[in-house]
Amino acid sequence: MAARAGVGRGTVSRVINGSPRVSEETRAAVEAAVAELGYVPNRAARALAANRTDAIALVVPEPEARFFAEPYFSDIVRGVGAALADTEMQLLLTLVGGDRERRRLAQYLASHRVDGVLLVSVHADDPLPELLEQLGIPVVISGRRSEDEPLASVDSDNFEGARAAVAHLVAGGRRTIATITGPLDVYGARRRLDGYRAALADAGLDELAAHADFTEEGGRRAMAELLARAPGLDAVFAASDVMASGARQVLRDHGRRIPEDTALIGFDDSSIARHMDPPLTSVRQPIEEMGRAMAELLLAEISAATPTRPSLVLPTELVVRASS
């Protein structure tokens, strides 16, 4: 092709890769040769030459059962996919449910087979973020690990979402308001608990909390515990729709009408919330938008000469339905 265009191979490469350092006359000659020869760029060779793999990994450090049970993860994947649709990036989905999978992933990442990593559902003691930093791999995490998260991150306003949910219950005349928390080694779960506490403090009400793990079974266990401790409770704020679903089953088993006897609110505004009976009031976090934003930030980090590590917090919205 270089001979056909009458230029060197380096010039051909610059034209194909869109370099501005080529005259219009030369660019036209190369493009004419491309058209005549029917040339199709070899993505693998181009990536190798640029020290790139044209692949990113979406890493979820959770067991397979939780990944497929919670709509949160599928919405994140949908948002990531939308952001990558018009790029040449391939997406590798990896579930890390235990130490064996973590070691295997560490070996894979150490061989630099991906250009960057999207890390979803990070627990406070997870070693993966530090490993990625040591390897120098660009990373964006979903949900900060602390207020001072050093890595690029996308989060929702968990505190304000929870505070608004509990304030809604207070405004409805509820006075014994319980919460079912997520695992408190997850920063987002702690912030939802903080928002619950802030709303109760504003109303002069006492805290009533049971800790769970974002699963339906965890919601059932926590709800049974709360009823044993406070049979007169009249409202429950669950830190996820999945846990609210479990709590609803226990309330029904105890003859509690929703919302007449006990109001119920979840968090996520997933499909679960819309299909419950009665439909569940829930805090909407823009999960698909979070996935899209994560992918866009990661693409920017991969292209940047030096890491910028931005932090993005998206607003939440209380969606009121019949359960409250």
Side-chain angles (χ1 to χ4, degrees), residues 61-108:
E62 297 287 354
E64 184 176 304
R66 188 183 167 204
F67 178 85
F68 288 106
E70 290 195 28
Y72 174 88
F73 296 112
S74 60
D75 287 347
I76 286 283
V77 172
R78 189 177 298 114
V80 171
L84 299 181
D86 293 329
T87 75
E88 294 188 339
M89 282 289 183
Q90 300 179 69
L91 183 63
L92 172 69
L93 174 62
T94 304
L95 305 183
V96 184
D99 290 338
R100 181 182 178 185
E101 290 94 339
R102 188 175 283 104
R103 287 192 298 270
R104 186 181 302 155
L105 175 64
Q107 293 171 355
Y108 185 85

Side-chain angles (χ1 to χ4, degrees), residues 95-279:
L95 305 183
V96 184
D99 290 338
R100 181 182 178 185
E101 290 94 339
R102 188 175 283 104
R103 287 192 298 270
R104 186 181 302 155
L105 175 64
Q107 293 171 355
Y108 185 85
L109 295 177
S111 64
H112 292 277
R113 296 185 187 179
V114 296
D115 294 325
V117 172
L118 300 169
L119 190 54
V120 180
S121 187
V122 186
H123 295 255
D125 60 350
D126 197 318
L128 282 175
E130 280 68 30
L131 170 66
L132 293 168
E133 274 207 289
Q134 291 168 11
L135 293 173
I137 298 175
V139 59
V140 177
I141 67 174
S142 170
R144 295 166 291 174
R145 291 168 294 168
S146 71
E147 189 69 30
D148 303 317
E149 175 58 60
L151 299 176
S153 65
V154 176
D155 206 352
S156 64
D157 194 342
N158 292 288
F159 176 90
E160 182 55 33
R163 190 207 62 77
V166 178
H168 169 73
L169 292 170
V170 172
R174 310 291 174 163
R175 290 297 175 265
T176 307
I177 303 172
T179 188
I180 298 173
T181 79
L184 297 184
D185 62 342
V186 174
Y187 180 67
R190 296 201 303 274
R191 292 301 287 161
R192 292 175 197 180
L193 178 58
D194 291 342
Y196 161 84
R197 287 169 168 165
L200 288 186
D202 289 344
L205 300 176
D206 294 329
E207 175 185 335
L208 179 61
H211 304 308
D213 55 3
F214 284 144
T215 67
E216 186 175 341
E217 178 56 33
R220 283 194 290 266
R221 288 196 304 267
M223 191 69 252
E225 174 191 332
L226 289 167
L227 287 173
R229 287 163 49 194
L233 64 83
D234 58 7
V236 178
F237 165 59
S240 78
D241 292 345
V242 173
M243 293 193 300
S245 177
R248 170 191 166 277
Q249 295 174 29
V250 174
L251 288 168
R252 286 282 178 84
D253 290 346
H254 283 74
R256 300 293 183 102
R257 297 171 301 163
I258 302 171
E260 292 84 357
D261 302 322
T262 308
L264 181 62
I265 294 182
F267 202 110
D268 289 333
D269 192 34
S270 64
S271 58
I272 291 172
R274 296 187 291 276
H275 296 144
M276 277 177 60
D277 179 24

Side-chain angles (χ1 to χ4, degrees), residues 1 4 16 30-42:
M1 182 188 299
R4 183 65 59 92
I16 290 173
V30 172
E31 289 175 349
V34 166
E36 183 179 348
L37 296 173
Y39 171 75
V40 177
N42 185 315

